[in-house]
Amino acid sequence: MESRKISNALISVFYKDGLDLLAKTLNQLGVAIYSTGGTQDYIEKLGIKVNRVEDLTGYPSILGGRVKTLHPKVFGGILARRDNENDKKEVETYQIPFFDLVVVDLYPFEETVKNTTNKDEIIEKIDIGGVSLIRAAAKNYTDTLIVCDKNDFKSLSDKLIASNGNTALDIRKKYATKAFYTTSNYDNLIYNYFNSSEQSGSFSTNIKQAKTLRYGENPHQKGIYFGNLEAIIEQVHGKDLSYNNLLDVDSALNLISDFNEPTVAIIKHNNPCGVASRDSILQCYLDALAGDPTSAFGGIIASNRAIDEATALEIDKLFMEVLIAPAYEGKALEILRSKKNRILLVQKGSLPAEKQFRSILNGVLEQDKDKVILTKTELKIVTNKTATEQQIEDMLFADKIVKHTKSNTIVLAKNKQLIGIGCGQTSRVDALKGAIAKAKEFGFDLKGSVMASDAFFPFPDCVEIADNNGIDAVIQPGGSIKDDLSIAYCNNNKIAMYFTGIRHFKH
């Protein structure tokens, strides 16, 4: 029999939001409610009769509340199969009520871990009874309905009123699926608290939210986003974000978060094609765009300051996919909403990830996020000539960009503006030639500019090419067994070169 009439309900929840509506609905339908502790008190204050679990089991809540519902008379009523004659006889013999509805949630373990480092508090928020009750009810979904999310209270109330207290099998299975997901995710959170991959050599993750995308990287590929996007960004206009949009937004936010001063970055296919730091966000945008106005077409723009009306008017002239900023001032939003599909985002939070993951072969790669941001004191001068103060600032500026660009990469910068970039090349020489060609294409004077590389120079060819084009300051990791060759060329040709000791490969 697929339909089940709810006669008895077991309710024990941490979060009481919306519980009053559900409890009143059950009472209206003549359902006997069983409960304990704070949930019992809450429901009784609504003027609704509650059967105490302690009276059913003959045992009070013990061990400071650690043991309340772990009893055969509770689990027997949940797990008993209505069409099994032996189960029905045992239930009758031991005077166990059939529980047709179980409403149980879990202690807030995740929230506790976020809010405290107190070990005892965290351990006490590991739910035992709740997980057991949820799994038991979900296992017996053919007879029992399990509800483990306060956000389902209202919809459940509406369904029960419409069906006069009956539930259909497909509904019970749907809630059971959600229940098993809930306990799986909960156990995973606890596992990750106790464990690190370095200790056990295992990998485990579970993400609650999932959003189906229009398609993946290409139209013939399916795409799904897993995660809580709303914690980071809020969309205030435009079409849905695509798979590629999300990749570019992630690249843009990772890059822009490395800059403290007003900065605008323009991203295309995960690589920066324009970056500038200035006193005003308008000038940031104009100079970032000037770095490569061709590649900026259809790109992603990110700002670490609010977009004002003047900047919005300039941005509105460009066809671009996405704009993300911490805020929009005055009529900026109104101006930018002139294009129906243009995606406008507000950055609400920082990127929290400490780890990066990538699926490969028959497994997953994990690594620490590259969070290195160099300062002047960490640079090591290895040549006779030193750079000017402006060039040192430009080198630090360029090194941030190098970090977020596909290898092999060379970045050319001048006055805190990206003026040329070569990225994703199999040869560092080709990356440099590409960067120089870009700079010259858009009219930049390379004299006095700086060159940054994501990795060391195994030969002096790159510094020689840079020298021949007027570049006289270089920042690179160093570490080649032939560093002396590049250093010697720089000394012979009055080029300043600094080592960082930090490689920034990005594949």
Side-chain angles (χ1 to χ4, degrees):
M1 182 179 177
E2 289 194 357
S3 181
R4 289 284 185 264
K5 177 78 172 178
I6 296 178
S7 299
N8 298 307
L10 175 65
I11 306 177
S12 179
V13 294
F14 184 88
Y15 297 102
K16 311 296 191 297
D17 313 48
L19 181 60
D20 55 341
L21 174 63
L22 180 58
K24 289 174 181 177
T25 298
L26 294 173
N27 186 55
Q28 177 185 331
L29 293 168
V31 176
I33 296 176
Y34 290 76
S35 190
T36 185
T39 306
Q40 174 193 327
D41 294 339
Y42 179 88
I43 297 173
E44 286 178 336
K45 287 178 181 177
L46 298 173
I48 298 172
K49 180 185 176 183
V50 178
N51 298 290
R52 300 197 324 154
V53 170
E54 290 91 335
D55 294 337
L56 173 65
T57 63
Y59 281 88
S61 172
I62 62 173
L63 306 181
R66 281 190 164 195
V67 181
K68 292 182 283 190
T69 55
L70 294 168
H71 194 279
K73 282 201 170 184
V74 174
F75 281 86
I78 296 171
L79 288 164
R81 292 158 289 187
R82 311 302 194 265
D83 58 356
N84 185 294
E85 292 301 321
N86 188 60
D87 283 9
K88 289 195 287 186
K89 286 180 183 178
E90 289 186 343
V91 164
E92 184 178 353
T93 298
Y94 296 109
Q95 298 180 313
I96 299 172
F98 286 112
F99 286 117
D100 314 294
L101 171 65
V102 174
V103 181
V104 173
D105 62 9
L106 300 170
Y107 290 157
F109 179 81
E110 184 177 18
E111 291 83 351
T112 304
V113 170
K114 288 179 180 178
N115 295 328
T116 184
T117 57
N118 185 294
K119 178 184 173 183
D120 291 337
E121 286 185 42
I122 292 171
I123 296 301
E124 284 309 307
K125 288 300 183 288
I126 299 177
D127 208 317
I128 303 301
V131 172
S132 302
L133 291 166
I134 291 172
R135 288 178 60 85
K139 175 179 179 177
N140 200 32
Y141 74 90
T142 53
D143 297 304
T144 305
L145 174 63
I146 173 62
V147 177
C148 58
D149 185 347
K150 63 182 180 181
N151 294 316
D152 292 326
F153 289 171
K154 186 181 185 306
S155 60
L156 175 61
S157 296
D158 293 341
K159 287 185 177 72
L160 293 178
I161 290 172
S163 65
N164 195 30
N166 288 280
T167 64
L169 180 61
D170 61 333
I171 295 297
R172 296 195 297 275
K173 186 175 181 180
K174 177 182 176 182
Y175 279 97
T177 302
K178 183 173 184 177
F180 280 124
Y181 175 81
T182 299
T183 58
S184 172
N185 183 65
Y186 193 77
D187 285 340
N188 192 68
L189 291 168
I190 297 169
Y191 169 80
N192 287 333
Y193 170 73
F194 279 94
N195 175 72
S196 70
S197 58
E198 290 88 349
Q199 292 174 330
S200 72
S202 63
F203 173 83
S204 177
T205 189
N206 202 327
I207 302 174
K208 292 180 181 179
Q209 295 93 337
K211 176 181 174 62
T212 300
L213 306 173
R214 295 196 304 274
Y215 50 79
E217 202 160 6
N218 299 291
H220 63 277
Q221 296 171 273
K222 292 182 179 179
I224 301 175
Y225 171 79
F226 292 95
N228 184 11
L229 192 62
E230 289 74 20
I232 306 297
I233 57 176
E234 176 188 0
Q235 184 166 348
V236 293
H237 183 69
K239 62 184 179 181
D240 288 343
L241 285 159
S242 70
Y243 182 99
N244 292 328
N245 289 156
L246 289 168
L247 289 174
D248 283 336
V249 168
D250 182 69
S251 296
L253 289 180
N254 275 293
L255 171 59
I256 207 74
S257 65
D258 278 356
F259 292 88
N260 292 321
E261 59 194 316
T263 302
V264 166
I266 304 175
I267 303 294
K268 193 71 171 289
H269 296 302
N270 296 171
N271 290 304
C273 60
V275 185
S277 297
R278 297 288 184 264
D279 292 334
S280 77
I281 211 66
L282 172 59
Q283 200 59 49
C284 286
Y285 169 70
L286 293 174
D287 289 347
L289 179 63
D292 186 348
T294 301
S295 296
F297 183 85
I300 307 293
I301 301 174
S303 169
N304 64 357
R305 295 292 192 278
I307 299 296
D308 55 29
E309 292 182 36
T311 308
L313 285 168
E314 288 297 325
I315 292 175
D316 192 49
K317 298 175 184 177
L318 176 73
F319 171 74
M320 52 85 177
E321 285 275 332
V322 182
L323 170 61
I324 182 165
Y328 298 86
E329 297 176 346
K331 295 182 179 179
L333 267 182
E334 181 183 336
I335 294 166
L336 293 165
R337 282 172 171 158
S338 63
K339 305 294 190 298
K340 181 178 69 172
N341 290 328
R342 177 183 285 160
I343 299 169
L344 303 177
L345 306 174
V346 175
Q347 183 178 1
K348 296 165 58 179
S350 58
L351 297 170
E354 296 291 327
K355 301 285 185 179
Q356 292 177 315
F357 306 95
R358 182 179 292 185
S359 60
I360 65 154
L361 302 174
N362 195 32
V364 176
L365 284 174
E366 174 189 313
Q367 69 170 352
D368 295 334
K369 190 173 181 179
D370 185 353
K371 300 177 71 175
V372 173
I373 301 176
L374 295 172
T375 62
K376 179 180 176 180
T377 58
E378 294 169 294
L379 302 183
K380 179 184 177 183
I381 180 67
V382 294
T383 54
N384 298 329
K385 182 181 178 180
T386 59
T388 66
E389 285 300 313
Q390 180 60 57
Q391 286 179 321
I392 290 174
E393 287 189 23
D394 287 343
M395 285 192 290
L396 294 173
F397 171 88
D399 191 68
K400 292 175 183 177
I401 300 172
V402 154
K403 187 176 85 171
H404 297 283
T405 307
K406 294 287 186 181
S407 299
N408 289 307
T409 184
I410 293 290
V411 166
L412 305 180
K414 187 175 181 179
N415 298 325
K416 295 186 180 178
Q417 179 185 20
L418 173 61
I419 62 171
I421 189 167
C423 54
Q425 299 299 309
T426 53
S427 159
R428 197 162 303 283
V429 170
D430 286 344
L432 175 55
K433 288 179 178 178
I436 292 170
K438 282 280 187 184
K440 290 182 176 180
E441 178 183 355
F442 299 113
F444 290 104
D445 181 6
L446 290 171
K447 187 176 181 180
S449 65
V450 305
M451 174 175 72
S453 174
D454 59 335
F456 61 64
F457 299 125
F459 305 102
D461 45 10
C462 281
V463 290
E464 182 178 353
I465 295 169
D467 175 39
N468 292 337
N469 285 273
I471 301 164
D472 62 355
V474 177
I475 182 172
Q476 58 133 321
S480 169
I481 58 173
K482 296 183 179 180
D483 276 343
D484 288 347
L485 296 179
S486 294
I487 294 171
Y489 183 92
C490 289
N491 283 332
N492 291 335
N493 293 275
K494 297 181 180 179
I495 298 172
M497 185 159 67
Y498 290 74
F499 284 180
T500 66
I502 301 293
R503 190 181 73 182
H504 288 303
F505 269 168
K506 188 170 185 284
H507 294 100

